[in-house]
Amino acid sequence: RVPCELHVWGASNKLSFYVCNKPHMYYHGKYSGGDLGNITQSIDVGVIPSIVPETFCYTLSELSSAGLPCLVADFGSLGERVIHDVNGWKVTPGDVTAWEAALVRLASDPRLLETIHSSVAVRSLEAMCGDYARIYAGVCAPRESSLEA
């Protein structure tokens, strides 16, 4: 056992409350966008154990923009966006033993978090939008309109 706490934010079913009703586990429930600053300042790492291969993960974007590394399920956009031991860590989806080992490793070695914190790139919404605009401009050609002027 290692000293750590698990805090769960977000709308969920009543099971989350009961699962988190244990020492060092806290279920906070719904939050608003205005709460994100306080939430991200109060945690060391984001944990996203998704059970589906997401096409985009708003939570990962928010945590990354706050400079927080994330432990994520290695599939879908999470696996594509996180580089293991560079800006976070990847774990096999659904492998409870691997998740436990990764959490114990992070809680046992504060140097891992310090190293990753220094390499997580904080990107603004404007920078991300600019990237998408450049991608679309390079891929999409103007269409001829079927509407007559």
Side-chain angles (χ1 to χ4, degrees):
R1 297 180 65 131
V2 293
C4 64
E5 294 179 346
L6 174 67
H7 292 263
V8 178
W9 280 275
S12 187
N13 58 31
K14 290 182 181 182
L15 180 61
S16 296
F17 174 78
Y18 294 111
V19 168
C20 292
N21 193 16
K22 294 179 175 55
H24 313 292
M25 297 176 73
Y26 308 92
Y27 176 63
H28 300 277
K30 288 184 179 181
Y31 64 91
S32 69
D35 299 328
L36 281 173
N38 289 331
I39 292 170
T40 57
Q41 288 176 9
S42 70
I43 62 175
D44 298 311
V45 62
V47 178
I48 309 172
S50 188
I51 59 171
V52 296
E54 301 185 34
T55 57
F56 183 80
C57 182
Y58 183 73
T59 301
L60 179 60
S61 295
E62 289 293 337
L63 294 171
S64 296
S65 70
L68 288 168
C70 291
L71 178 66
V72 303
D74 186 13
F75 64 158
S77 68
L78 295 168
E80 293 170 359
R81 295 171 60 195
V82 171
I83 302 168
H84 192 76
D85 282 335
V86 174
N87 64 342
W89 304 273
K90 298 192 248 188
V91 179
T92 303
D95 185 341
V96 175
T97 303
W99 281 92
E100 179 183 18
L103 290 167
V104 168
R105 178 179 175 232
L106 292 175
S108 301
D109 189 354
R111 292 172 299 167
L112 288 171
L113 288 176
E114 292 168 13
T115 302
I116 297 291
H117 270 290
S118 65
S119 65
V120 174
V122 178
R123 302 204 56 236
S124 69
L125 178 61
E126 291 80 12
M128 289 184 0
C129 288
D131 289 345
Y132 284 116
R134 280 188 291 285
I135 290 168
Y136 290 133
V139 173
C140 299
R143 281 192 326 193
E144 289 186 33
S145 175
S146 60
L147 301 175
E148 294 187 32

